[in-house]
Amino acid sequence: MEARRETPLGDTQDPHAMPGLWAAVRRLLQWAREHWLLSILVLAALVRFYDLTAAAIWGDEGSSLLLSQYSLAGIWEHAAHDVHPPLYFMLLHGWIGLFGDGIFSIRSLSALPGIATVGLGVWLVDLLATRRAALLAGVLLALLPTAVRYSQEVRMYSLLGLWLIGATIALMYWIRRPQRTRYLVIYTLLMSAAFYTHYFTALCVLCHWLYLGLIRVQSGYRLRHIQRSGWWLANAAIVALYLPWVPNLLDLIQHMDQLKANGDVGWELPVTLGSLPSMIWSFLIQDDGENLPTLVFIALPLALLALAGVALARDRSVFRGSALAVIYTVLPVLLVFVVSFISPVFIERYLTAYALGLPMFVALAIDRLYAGSKVLALAVLMLFVGVELVGLKNNATVDTDDQISVMVNYVNQHFTPGDRIVTSDMLWYLSYVYYNRTDAKPLLYTPPLADGRSSRPNAYGFGTLVTHDIYLDSLGALPKGNGRVWLVGTIDGPDEFAPLPAGWQRISETHAGGAEARLYVLK
């Protein structure tokens, strides 16, 4: 009788198998294998929507919301005095019109592009290397802590990553088929959208030009795309599409002193040599790593450098896709790091769109290590995923009872008609107005400086978002009303409202999220 080695069906099972469980696991694995991209996107969605509303709206997010309340023409006008271009705020304006301004809704506008960017990252690596490398890149991108964090904020950083990775895919398709100009058209539109989203898009332009220059001078088969007229025309078209915004950008540069006076720029800490490895740690564990032992602190950046070397050294393809992935992350980070010794701008969120290249070249390195040493490749994969999981845990560690929203809700509940609310700082004001549910218009305390000059914000930066009727130069100028005033300020440090007018008596206070609200009765 012929022996049959087919998998038993129906009630006939391997006597050594776990009844039901193993069959379910095998079905799940088969489904994941057949729908590998969908599985990765589900993973990306889970980590981005998890605790999406846990952290309260903070100052920068509040500024996004205030700016998005203007009409499209108003957003264009006010963004010209802000530190970011207008496209994200225009999209947020439309999004709120459709789905409301609830915290889940407004943060979803960042989460959804973050998820889509993971899919685009898989697509890009699939173009650059093998399907296995693409699968690995998808998992690592889905779990990348810096990408997850900024997919949960009402800011433009997640959207920027979507535009840049999409444009890089279009570039690769054009390199493969340069006779098809539609790829350059798509590239032009995506890069233009990126420029209208964030000024650091210029770094991506440098990456693409450097990559094209590299494949032009490489030994062996040289690709002359950088010399093609279509490439130059595409870049000229990007410039042409950006020309309407250029006068606003030039005006902003000329008023840099006003931005510094408001604290919109110039607040960044000076960089040191340790800032570079700290940035790598921040990308991966959401902590600067400065409290780690020195050997551990430098080990991870050096390991990533070694993996970049592996990806580059073992890339035998004509298109040198590993070089593109490495350049996309390394060049912007190094360039901004060096420039920051002159003018500090070495901030994680400004670079998170470029950190997306990090999981890509790590995946390429693991894929190439796997061909020679499966154990080593798997060890590197597990280590990298483990580091990312630490970052995800840090990112998700939010005390929901210690948020400014808790403090504002206390004021909302204990508010009586006629109460006045005064905030000490623009960032507190931007957060407070989102959660304010009273009929009182919060005010911003702007006492004269020591030299007698006004401390009111000027017309640039955050100052462009508000009207002058919110400013309060003196507590004594408050109309008496019902005789109750809420003062909202920072918990730590000196009292930002001191000295208080005579006869003010504190009767209640609460604090959360680094801010405190004190209720005074005017006698």
Side-chain angles (χ1 to χ4, degrees), residues 181-446:
T181 56
R182 67 173 178 266
Y183 297 131
L184 282 180
V185 173
I186 295 171
Y187 176 84
T188 299
L189 295 175
L190 290 172
M191 288 300 293
S192 298
F195 268 110
Y196 277 101
T197 301
H198 201 280
Y199 295 120
F200 272 34
T201 297
L203 297 170
C204 187
V205 174
L206 295 178
C207 293
H208 291 163
W209 276 87
L210 179 59
Y211 170 67
L212 290 178
L214 179 66
I215 60 177
R216 171 63 183 87
V217 300
Q218 67 181 341
S219 58
Y221 192 77
R222 298 180 180 180
L223 301 173
R224 303 176 186 273
H225 295 73
I226 198 171
Q227 298 172 251
R228 288 181 173 267
S229 60
W231 172 246
W232 289 81
L233 287 173
N235 281 267
I238 293 171
V239 172
L241 290 171
Y242 199 59
L243 282 177
W245 188 252
V246 170
N248 297 325
L249 175 58
L250 295 177
D251 177 75
L252 199 65
I253 293 172
Q254 293 170 357
H255 291 87
M256 196 60 63
D257 289 340
Q258 283 84 344
L259 290 169
K260 289 181 179 178
N262 282 353
D264 296 281
V265 299
W267 54 267
E268 302 89 345
L269 295 175
V271 296
T272 65
L273 292 178
S275 300
L276 184 58
S278 286
M279 181 63 73
I280 304 302
W281 281 106
S282 295
F283 288 152
L284 294 176
I285 68 168
Q286 293 297 280
D287 184 277
D288 59 21
E290 293 183 354
N291 293 324
L292 296 170
T294 303
L295 289 178
V296 177
F297 181 67
I298 63 174
L300 179 63
L302 291 177
L304 292 174
L305 184 62
L307 289 173
V310 170
L312 292 170
R314 300 193 181 187
D315 188 347
R316 299 291 184 265
S317 67
V318 172
F319 300 107
R320 301 292 180 184
S322 296
L324 176 59
V326 172
I327 289 171
Y328 180 83
T329 291
V330 173
L331 177 64
V333 171
L334 286 181
L335 186 59
V336 175
F337 173 65
V338 171
V339 169
S340 293
F341 281 97
I342 303 170
S343 178
V345 287
F346 200 52
I347 307 300
E348 179 194 351
R349 57 183 177 271
Y350 298 166
L351 292 167
T352 188
Y354 296 102
L356 296 170
L358 196 155
M360 296 186 200
F361 75 68
V362 169
L364 292 171
I366 293 173
D367 180 52
R368 281 149 194 168
L369 286 173
Y370 191 81
S373 174
K374 293 181 175 58
V375 173
L376 178 59
L378 292 173
V380 172
L381 175 61
M382 291 299 102
L383 181 61
F384 194 84
V385 169
V387 171
E388 288 189 317
L389 291 177
V390 171
L392 290 177
K393 180 179 181 298
N394 289 339
N395 188 54
T397 304
V398 177
D399 184 355
T400 55
D401 294 325
D402 190 24
Q403 303 291 316
I404 188 174
S405 55
V406 176
M407 182 269 290
V408 181
N409 287 337
Y410 177 90
V411 177
N412 291 338
Q413 293 167 8
H414 295 82
F415 180 89
T416 61
D419 283 5
R420 272 71 47 76
I421 302 170
V422 183
T423 61
S424 67
D425 178 85
M426 177 63 84
L427 288 175
W428 291 134
Y429 174 84
L430 294 171
S431 297
Y432 195 99
V433 293
Y434 176 74
Y435 293 102
N436 180 39
R437 298 295 181 268
T438 71
D439 58 3
K441 185 174 185 177
L443 302 176
L444 177 62
Y445 187 46
T446 53

Side-chain angles (χ1 to χ4, degrees), residues 135-159:
L135 175 61
L136 291 171
V139 173
L140 300 182
L141 277 167
L143 300 176
L144 182 64
T146 188
V148 173
R149 175 179 178 179
Y150 292 107
S151 293
Q152 297 182 321
E153 286 198 0
V154 191
R155 297 296 278 169
M156 69 293 298
Y157 308 110
S158 176
L159 183 65

